[in-house]
Amino acid sequence: MKNSNPKYIAISNSILITFISLASIGILLYTEPTYGIWVIIPIIILQFFLIFWIFYYSLRKFIYEKIRIIYKNIHNFKVNKEHFSQKLYSDNELFEKVNEEVLKWAVDKKMEIETLKKLEQFRREFLGNVSHELKTPITNIQGYVLTLLEGGIYDNEINKKYLDRAEKNITRMIEIVNDLEEISKLETGELKLHHSKFDIVQLTKEVIEILEFKKNEANVEISFAQPYSQIFIVADRENIKKVLTNLIENSIKYSKPLTGKTKISFLDMDEYILTEITDNGIGIEEINIPRLFERFYRVDKARTRQTGGSGLGLAIVKHIIEAHYQTINVRSTIGIGSTFAFTLKKGM
């Protein structure tokens, strides 16, 4: 097998040239001793340049062939193993091309690493949030049950009260698990949407009726921006009902105490219907808006936990709207209120 290592090629060729040169010098000195040093010096110089050129050529050829292999691997990796072009490049062109490819590959890998770091941070935050959200009701339930087991079950003043509190914490845990399952299905595409044409005004009225008790308890007034007749859209009715329920319920939770107002409006945008839900509540700081739809992200953690909820409502809303290939956005001013707006395809 022929050895392509430039070291062996250069050494073998150098030995061969040296042997030939020394033999030639010996023959010349033997046949023509009068030539002396004037013959030997040019031959030695020629020998040096020949050895240098052979070594340079061998090394460059070796590097060129290896770089071609590296370039092919990088190029094939970049185009996801698509057919590699058989175009041949000159030495300089190939080195420049490889340099460009390696630099681009390095930039892409750096971005990929940064993305993985962000995902890892998100994963840690998410697991921490899930752990915290489940730990709180579990701890509460444990406390209530232990109190009952230690004799509280026979005390009529606390037994029913503690059982009611334990039941509320169990309900909260079920809500968290159900919401996590729903988000997972939305993200993986397992939850199939069933589109139909329906009246969103009528659906909104149904949601308001469902939330009537919470509305009255918080003394919040819910109204339409104007009298609407029928406005038809094409979407998944049950999932849009969840969107409206989450947004209107949030407007009730964060409205001003005793003077809360929620206004619902529908705007015709040619092919789409824009739905806006506006409250006169505490508002949201601008710094919090970009993260508002993240799972478990809370603007006011203390107040949010007091008002209940899994902390996943807005994340579910965002996923449902995006599953319809539409968008949702927020406008808010501290002390004035917030407006959540989303679009849906109009029913023609």
Side-chain angles (χ1 to χ4, degrees):
M1 181 182 292
K2 186 177 178 181
N3 198 326
S4 60
N5 192 310
K7 176 182 176 182
Y8 295 109
I9 295 173
I11 291 174
S12 60
N13 288 338
S14 300
I15 291 172
L16 178 62
I17 292 172
T18 303
F19 176 77
I20 294 172
S21 300
L22 290 174
S24 300
I25 292 170
I27 293 170
L28 285 171
L29 289 176
Y30 178 77
T31 56
E32 299 291 342
T34 55
Y35 287 170
I37 196 68
W38 301 108
V39 173
I40 296 174
I41 290 175
I43 292 176
I44 292 174
I45 293 173
L46 180 61
Q47 176 187 338
F48 171 78
F49 280 109
L50 282 172
I51 292 172
F52 175 80
W53 184 84
I54 290 173
F55 184 80
Y56 172 80
Y57 174 78
S58 302
L59 185 62
R60 187 174 182 84
K61 186 174 185 299
F62 174 78
I63 294 174
Y64 176 77
E65 292 300 326
K66 296 300 181 184
I67 289 294
R68 280 186 63 84
I69 295 172
I70 295 171
Y71 173 71
K72 282 185 178 183
N73 289 333
I74 294 174
H75 187 79
N76 286 338
F77 178 79
K78 186 184 71 172
V79 298
N80 295 323
K81 299 183 179 179
E82 291 179 2
H83 179 67
F84 174 68
S85 172
Q86 297 299 319
K87 178 182 177 182
L88 298 177
Y89 296 98
S90 66
D91 289 11
N92 291 334
E93 288 176 336
L94 183 63
F95 292 148
E96 290 176 5
K97 194 73 177 175
V98 169
N99 184 56
E100 292 176 6
E101 294 284 355
V102 170
L103 288 175
K104 186 178 185 305
W105 182 81
V107 171
D108 291 343
K109 284 300 173 185
K110 184 178 180 181
M111 292 175 63
E112 184 178 337
I113 290 170
E114 291 298 323
T115 301
L116 290 173
K117 285 181 178 178
K118 290 179 180 178
L119 289 174
E120 175 60 19
Q121 181 180 355
F122 175 77
R123 185 189 67 83
R124 288 197 301 268
E125 289 180 0
F126 175 69
L127 290 176
N129 285 328
V130 171
S131 175
H132 183 80
E133 292 296 329
L134 292 176
K135 184 179 179 181
T136 301
I138 289 172
T139 302
N140 291 340
I141 293 168
Q142 184 183 41
Y144 298 139
V145 171
L146 286 174
T147 301
L148 293 171
L149 289 174
E150 290 172 358
I153 190 70
Y154 303 108
D155 189 337
N156 293 331
E157 293 184 3
I158 66 171
N159 54 13
K160 187 177 184 303
K161 179 172 67 175
Y162 276 30
L163 286 172
D164 285 340
R165 290 179 180 178
E167 190 276 333
K168 287 180 180 178
N169 280 275
I170 292 171
T171 300
R172 182 179 174 188
M173 289 176 61
I174 293 172
E175 287 177 355
I176 293 172
V177 173
N178 288 340
D179 287 347
L180 282 171
E181 184 180 10
E182 187 164 1
I183 286 179
S184 177
K185 288 181 179 179
L186 284 165
E187 288 180 338
T188 58
E190 294 180 22
L191 184 64
K192 303 300 180 182
L193 300 179
H194 302 284
H195 290 78
S196 63
K197 183 178 176 181
F198 61 90
D199 180 7
I200 192 171
V201 177
Q202 179 58 38
L203 179 61
T204 305
K205 291 177 180 178
E206 291 177 18
V207 171
I208 294 173
E209 288 179 5
I210 293 171
L211 297 173
E212 184 176 4
F213 176 77
K214 291 185 177 181
K215 172 179 75 74
N216 294 337
E217 189 178 38
N219 196 27
V220 173
E221 177 188 335
I222 301 178
S223 62
F224 290 98
Q226 65 183 62
Y228 294 103
S229 54
Q230 293 179 321
I231 299 177
F232 288 98
I233 62 169
V234 176
D236 186 306
R237 193 177 193 278
E238 287 305 308
N239 278 291
I240 297 305
K241 185 177 182 179
K242 293 177 185 177
V243 170
L244 290 169
T245 301
N246 269 296
L247 295 179
I248 295 174
E249 188 174 10
N250 273 353
S251 74
I252 294 171
K253 287 180 182 178
Y254 299 106
S255 289
K256 291 179 180 178
L258 305 178
T259 59
K261 291 183 179 181
T262 294
K263 184 181 292 185
I264 302 167
S265 59
F266 304 101
L267 302 173
D268 191 326
M269 300 181 66
D270 195 17
E271 297 181 6
Y272 305 97
I273 296 296
L274 175 69
T275 302
E276 291 190 336
I277 299 172
T278 303
D279 63 60
N280 66 337
I282 59 177
I284 306 165
E285 291 184 0
E286 187 175 352
I287 192 174
N288 291 314
I289 290 178
R291 300 191 61 187
L292 202 59
F293 294 99
E294 292 181 13
R295 288 175 284 190
F296 295 115
Y297 184 76
R298 299 179 185 274
V299 175
D300 186 344
K301 295 183 180 181
R303 185 178 178 192
T304 303
R305 291 200 170 93
Q306 289 172 1
T307 55
S310 66
L312 296 166
L314 289 179
I316 292 174
V317 165
K318 181 175 182 289
H319 280 297
I320 291 174
I321 295 300
E322 289 182 349
H324 285 79
Y325 301 102
Q326 299 298 318
T327 57
I328 182 168
N329 58 75
V330 186
R331 306 189 306 273
S332 187
T333 305
I334 293 294
I336 296 178
S338 305
T339 296
F340 287 79
F342 61 90
T343 55
L344 289 169
K345 190 173 179 61
K346 184 193 294 183
M348 300 298 183

